[in-house]
Amino acid sequence: MSSEIEKPSPGASMPWFRQIWAIKDTLILVFTPLVLLPILICFPGSPSAACAYTIIIMAIYWMTEVLNMAVTALIPVVLFPWLGVMSSKQVCTNYLKDANMLFFGGLLVAIAVEKWNLHKRVALRVLMLVGSKPLWIVFGFMAVTAFLSMWLNNTATTAMMMPIAQAVLKELDENRKKQLDLQQVVIDNGKTAPSVNVSEVVELKEFRKLEDGERVNGTNGTVQKEDEQLEKIEAAETDPLHGAISSADRVASDRQFMSFRKALKLCIPYASSIGGTGTLIGSGPNIVLKGQLEAMYKGVETGINFTSWLVIGFPAMVIDLIGAWIILLLIFLGPKETFGCGGKGKKQDDSANQVIRAEYPKLGRITFAEVVVLVNFIILAFLWLSREPEFIPGWGDVLPHNFVTDASVAITISVLLFIFPSEFPNYLCFRRKAASRPPGPAPAILDWPTANKQMPWSVIILLGGGFALADACKESGLSAVIGEALSSFRYLPPWAIVTIMCLIATVITSFTSNMATTTIFIPILAEMAATTCINPIYLMLPVTLAASWAFILPVSTPPNAIAHSYGDLAISDMMKAGLAMCALCNAVLLFSINTWGYSFFDLGTFPAWATGGKPSNCTTLPLNETMSALGYTADLGLSTLGYTADLGLSTLGYTADLGLSTLGYTADSGLSTLGFTTGSGFLNVTA
């Protein structure tokens, strides 16, 4: 009688610590609320403690991703009513605010653009204009990706551009190998075969494959010359020494092309992240900022709209893009290729353009639907820009009560895309004689099944969860508690606070979602601004943009993961380029917010709306050291050595009502200089 031997289960021999690691997500999910329970026990009945308990749980879940991020964003609906922080009605209204509708409308237009391949047509057309040199190929891909990412989802843009880049790289690699096979090969009498253009070789070989009857196009002399050249090439290819003498050249060429391959694959996700900062709808963190400002400072105009964002975002985006282009070329291709100082005048093959020119005809002629989408897109951009142009009155100022917002415009255009036909009308007087389809209405540009399938609903829920957190921080009083804890920051200069916060946001966003990072930071920065008497925009806007600098790891952002999935990119490559990118983008960000951004948003003043309706002793932002030099005020550029900031009058000892002395002392600090004393915020003569 035989007995079956039981086979051990696959996990029987696994060490206990590996088994624990295998269920780490479940452990984090279950034990995080339990470990944090002392917060509720030590502060029973405190709404601020309950709010902090919920926020910490969500922050841990977001950073570890043990739950889907959208599911985590629904936790406020679960915990806030049960813990007595806010009622369910108050919480749920945050999940479909004006900012959500702005994002939703922008995504609907983006879906229409993608459905009819308008984005691919624009991308290929621009790429056809760039040269075949590696540095210009990289620049072309970065410019197109950044532009598309200003309007489309960063992930969708990267997913669309990477296959095009892969096709270009494949064609370039094949032609490079052919070029190596045809050059520097020893043939008869030890002579080296002359350099042969790859495209000419291909044409000759294809030409020779034609039947004899089809070769009457050329003269006999031309045919004979072609035959001689082709025989010479084939002799070189079959030479026994072929490939042996050029091994060093092949290794160098392979190494150089691999570096180019890495640069091209990295430039797309980097340009996508940079491009998303150029417009208000370009990236999720941008919408998070706008929505949380509306949630925390209800009923006031904070100055963040589509046009004002362009003022700070677009110039910085262009500088970042050019800097990123140079950094990638220097790291992967070297200074000779970057600055063109190492070229020997060799001809560049046109392989990249050939690939792109072969792809473009596949799109066919521009369709009626593409024209309709393009016209609506242009109208949408124009309406956004002209509603509040800042420097002149916009059409929004003409309408009563300021009811129309950027979200209203986006939804208006989106609804029209569900109405406009995708083909030219084919009935009554519009019917053409050559029309093939029967009379009747054509399908609309957008249909709901397509929109529903491609709409990232999880992002909209994630936005709502962030707005609910911001609202709860204010209603529960947690913001005031955080503000008191951060009161020590008031002794730091504003530029130092911004720098520290931007660096922290950059580090955190490398490991977690940029939207989650922004959602956690904004309420903290709001209270820090009230405590330190700093304009909230001066803190929130740079940190929001810094949350998009996720360049270092594949897990930092979906575009990075997509690029990494195509191979060739090691973690060390991404870290080397990513650290340089983070340094560049943060430097440009701090420069922009302290120069034209400082002046445009009037960041030298503490706005009345920033108190949230609470009494405050803040009258002005402490003088920003990065903007003041040799006695010039930060906001007006006027010398304080004899001129007041708001009156322009020479007082030789009287400061303006901003509370600043002409020699760098605050008027209300009780300090006297050169015989002047303080009184009621002014300096007065004591003699």
Side-chain angles (χ1 to χ4, degrees):
M1 183 176 180
S2 61
S3 59
E4 296 183 357
I5 300 176
E6 295 184 0
K7 296 182 179 180
S9 60
S13 59
M14 184 182 294
W16 64 269
F17 57 86
R18 288 192 177 180
Q19 296 183 43
I20 292 177
W21 182 256
I23 60 169
K24 65 181 187 305
D25 288 354
T26 303
L27 295 177
I28 295 173
L29 190 63
V30 173
F31 283 99
T32 297
L34 298 178
V35 171
L36 296 174
L37 273 178
I39 297 177
L40 299 179
I41 297 173
C42 295
F43 303 96
S46 171
S48 59
C51 183
Y53 175 77
T54 305
I55 290 176
I56 296 173
I57 290 175
M58 293 178 66
I60 294 173
Y61 285 178
W62 271 334
M63 288 188 287
T64 57
E65 297 189 23
V66 294
L67 270 184
N68 182 278
M69 296 190 68
V71 177
T72 303
L74 293 173
I75 289 179
V77 184
V78 178
L79 292 183
F80 284 166
W82 285 101
L83 297 178
V85 179
M86 295 172 65
S87 69
S88 180
K89 291 182 179 179
Q90 288 177 298
V91 177
C92 292
T93 53
N94 288 284
Y95 284 82
L96 208 58
K97 300 174 73 69
D98 183 78
N100 298 78
M101 297 306 292
L102 171 62
F103 194 63
F104 178 68
L107 288 174
L108 285 175
V109 176
I111 290 171
V113 170
E114 294 177 26
K115 177 182 178 181
W116 297 103
N117 274 331
L118 181 61
H119 61 319
K120 191 171 184 178
R121 185 179 296 277
V122 172
L124 292 176
R125 173 61 69 180
V126 174
L127 290 175
M128 287 168 61
L129 300 178
V130 303
S132 58
K133 295 185 65 176
L135 73 161
W136 292 118
I137 294 175
V138 173
F139 177 80
F141 271 92
M142 292 187 74
V144 172
T145 304
F147 174 77
L148 293 176
S149 188
M150 291 171 62
W151 314 97
L152 308 179
N153 180 273
N154 294 356
T155 304
T157 303
T158 305
M160 188 269 293
M161 294 298 295
M162 284 302 297
I164 301 176
Q166 188 75 355
V168 169
L169 287 170
K170 181 180 179 181
E171 186 68 19
L172 284 173
D173 195 26
E174 290 178 355
N175 284 343
R176 177 186 65 87
K177 291 176 180 177
K178 291 177 183 177
Q179 197 89 339
L180 288 173
D181 289 342
L182 296 172
Q183 291 179 346
Q184 298 180 353
V185 178
V186 176
I187 56 174
D188 296 338
N189 301 323
K191 294 181 180 180
T192 303
S195 299
V196 183
N197 186 278
V198 175
S199 59
E200 294 177 2
V201 175
V202 175
E203 290 175 4
L204 283 172
K205 287 188 174 183
E206 294 296 328
F207 188 66
R208 191 166 187 173
K209 291 179 183 177
L210 297 177
E211 297 178 0
D212 294 338
E214 296 177 349
R215 297 190 64 189
V216 297
N217 294 332
T219 62
N220 291 334
T222 304
V223 173
Q224 184 178 1
K225 184 177 180 180
E226 292 169 350
D227 287 341
E228 292 175 355
Q229 187 176 0
L230 194 55
E231 289 173 3
K232 191 175 183 181
I233 294 167
E234 290 175 346
E237 291 177 339
T238 57
D239 190 276
L241 295 177
H242 173 69
I245 65 169
S246 58
S247 59
D249 291 337
R250 289 176 183 276
V251 171
S253 178
D254 290 344
R255 186 184 299 112
Q256 184 179 16
F257 189 77
M258 177 56 70
S259 296
F260 169 64
R261 185 189 295 271
K262 292 178 179 180
L264 188 60
K265 288 186 176 181
L266 268 183
C267 80
I268 293 174
Y270 286 2
S272 175
S273 296
I274 292 172
T277 64
T279 61
L280 181 59
I281 63 167
S283 184
N286 308 353
I287 301 295
V288 170
L289 172 62
K290 179 175 174 59
Q292 293 213 12
L293 283 173
E294 294 173 355
M296 291 183 292
Y297 309 110
K298 298 177 181 179
V300 298
E301 181 59 49
T302 59
I304 296 295
N305 54 47
F306 190 86
T307 306
S308 64
W309 190 280
L310 277 179
V311 173
I312 184 69
F314 184 75
M317 183 203 77
V318 173
I319 298 173
D320 286 335
L321 199 65
I322 296 174
W325 175 51
I326 296 174
I327 284 176
L328 288 174
L329 293 179
L330 286 173
I331 291 176
F332 293 103
L333 301 184
K336 290 184 178 181
E337 184 66 37
T338 304
F339 301 109
C341 55
K344 299 181 180 180
K346 62 180 181 180
K347 292 191 296 182
Q348 300 284 339
D349 63 82
D350 202 29
S351 308
N353 281 339
Q354 289 176 6
V355 174
I356 296 168
R357 291 181 186 278
E359 286 291 322
Y360 191 79
K362 296 179 183 179
L363 297 175
R365 297 181 59 184
I366 188 168
T367 63
F368 179 80
E370 289 178 84
V371 173
V372 173
V373 173
L374 179 61
V375 170
N376 278 272
F377 178 81
I378 294 173
I379 293 174
L380 174 62
F382 174 76
L383 290 175
W384 270 340
L385 291 170
S386 59
R387 187 177 72 87
E388 290 182 359
E390 304 297 337
F391 54 91
I392 58 173
W395 58 263
D397 298 324
V398 180
L399 301 178
H401 309 299
N402 197 27
F403 283 170
V404 179
T405 64
D406 290 334
S408 308
V409 175
I411 297 299
T412 300
I413 297 297
S414 301
V415 170
L416 291 177
L417 291 175
F418 283 95
I419 298 174
F420 287 136
S422 58
E423 298 178 16
F424 193 82
N426 187 33
Y427 47 85
L428 301 179
C429 59
F430 297 104
R431 182 170 175 80
R432 298 177 179 178
K433 294 181 179 179
S436 57
R437 66 181 180 89
I445 294 291
L446 263 184
D447 59 276
W448 184 250
T450 301
N452 185 41
K453 182 179 179 180
Q454 296 185 234
M455 178 65 62
W457 296 106
S458 60
V459 178
I460 296 176
I461 295 175
L462 182 59
L463 285 172
F467 301 155
L469 288 184
D471 198 14
C473 284
K474 181 181 177 182
E475 294 294 329
S476 66
L478 179 62
S479 296
V481 175
I482 295 174
E484 288 297 324
L486 298 173
S487 59
S488 59
F489 277 92
R490 71 167 68 238
Y491 302 108
L492 291 176
W495 64 267
I497 299 176
V498 172
T499 303
I500 293 171
M501 291 295 110
C502 286
L503 293 177
I504 294 175
T506 302
V507 172
I508 293 177
T509 198
S510 298
F511 302 95
T512 187
S513 161
N514 52 12
M515 291 182 62
T517 302
T518 311
T519 301
I520 296 169
F521 263 81
I522 295 300
I524 298 174
L525 295 174
E527 205 54 42
M528 182 186 292
T531 303
T532 57
C533 296
I534 297 177
N535 191 316
I537 303 298
Y538 186 64
L539 295 179
M540 296 179 183
L541 186 56
V543 171
T544 299
L545 293 172
S548 293
W549 308 149
F551 303 121
I552 298 177
L553 298 173
V555 298
S556 299
T557 185
N560 290 9
I562 292 173
H564 188 264
S565 67
Y566 275 80
D568 300 323
L569 292 174
I571 299 295
S572 57
D573 296 323
M574 299 192 71
M575 292 186 67
K576 179 171 58 177
L579 289 171
M581 288 290 300
C582 289
L584 165 75
C585 292
N586 275 311
V588 173
L589 172 59
L590 293 172
F591 173 76
S592 61
I593 198 66
N594 285 296
T595 51
W596 68 84
Y598 198 95
S599 176
F600 180 81
F601 287 104
D602 194 18
L603 300 180
T605 60
F606 186 80
W609 54 262
T611 62
K614 301 176 183 178
S616 174
N617 295 326
C618 298
T619 56
T620 182
L621 174 65
L623 187 63
N624 189 344
E625 295 180 6
T626 60
M627 289 295 293
S628 63
L630 300 178
Y632 288 87
T633 59
D635 52 342
L636 298 178
L638 300 174
S639 172
T640 59
L641 294 176
Y643 292 88
T644 59
D646 59 342
L647 300 177
L649 300 175
S650 174
T651 60
L652 293 177
Y654 292 89
T655 59
D657 56 348
L658 298 178
L660 299 175
S661 74
T662 59
L663 293 180
Y665 294 93
T666 57
D668 54 356
S669 63
L671 297 175
S672 61
T673 59
L674 298 182
F676 297 95
T677 60
T678 58
S680 304
F682 292 87
L683 288 179
N684 302 308
V685 180
T686 58

